[in-house]
């Protein structure tokens, strides 16, 4: 594919994404999101699961889900109903493309929580032999979480700052409750409200 250079005015900055003078750099297709962001997050989560301590921690964090499956099923149904009403309210079509995007958001919420709320804080904290090692691990993990959004999705710095603090909030929820499924649901809702539909292509 040949490089297409156009003016910044042709591709203005979106609500989250930085402006670009190149059509090749601007994230305008779901395929780009999947390859740049989804694959990066998935790789981090996948590799981290090879660490025995991480896998043990994940199984422990899923205990509530196994013990009270019906409660999480009800919560999931409520979240699904909320999604439908939100799409209707914002006048978005509920079609196969939108459904596929929601499935992607579910998957990315799971892998990001495995990577950045469960795995990396444990791995980073194991490097530091101090009383605050877990806090350092949480900080570094969420800093990396925000930085990846900056580079892979080309988000604005302001959006990445909010992403960092949002990640800190999710980390606090996770370590206070020890409930992985709950944190994934919260992450999913926030991510959906933030990006309720896949990016649309930009015409040259």
């Amino acid at each position: 594919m040949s490089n297409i250079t156009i003016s910044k005015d042709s591709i203005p900055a979106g609500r989250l994404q930085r402006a670009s003078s190149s059509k090749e750099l601007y994230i305008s297709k779901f395929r780009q999101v999947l390859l740049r962001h989804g694959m990066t997050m998935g790789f981090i989560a996948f590799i981290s699961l090879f660490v025995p301590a991480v896998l043990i921690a994940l199984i422990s964090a899923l205990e509530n889900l196994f013990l009270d499956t019906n409660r999480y099923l009800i919560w999931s149904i409520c979240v699904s109903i909320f999604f439908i009403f939100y799409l209707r309210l914002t006048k978005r079509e509920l079609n196969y493309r939108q459904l596929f995007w929601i499935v992607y958001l579910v998957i990315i919420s799971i892998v990001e929580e495995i990577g950045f709320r469960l795995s990396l804080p444990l791995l980073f904290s194991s490097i530091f032999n101090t009383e605050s090692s877990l806090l350092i691990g949480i900080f570094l993990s969420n800093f990396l979480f925000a930085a990846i959004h900056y580079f892979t999705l080309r988000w604005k710095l302001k959006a990445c700052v909010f992403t960092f603090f949002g990640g800190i909030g999710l980390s606090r929820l996770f370590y206070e409750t020890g409930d992985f499924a709950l944190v994934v649901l919260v992450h999913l809702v926030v991510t959906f409200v933030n990006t309720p539909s896949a990016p649309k292509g930009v015409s040259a």
Side-chain angles (χ1 to χ4, degrees), residues 45 47-60 114-115 118-120 122-123:
I47 293 299
S48 66
L49 289 177
F50 283 96
V51 180
V54 170
L55 191 58
I56 292 172
L58 177 60
I59 293 173
S60 176
I114 291 176
L118 178 70
S119 304
L120 290 183
L122 290 177
L123 297 177

Side-chain angles (χ1 to χ4, degrees), residues 16 20 71 141 178 193:
L16 297 174
S20 174
R71 179 174 62 173
S141 175
V193 172

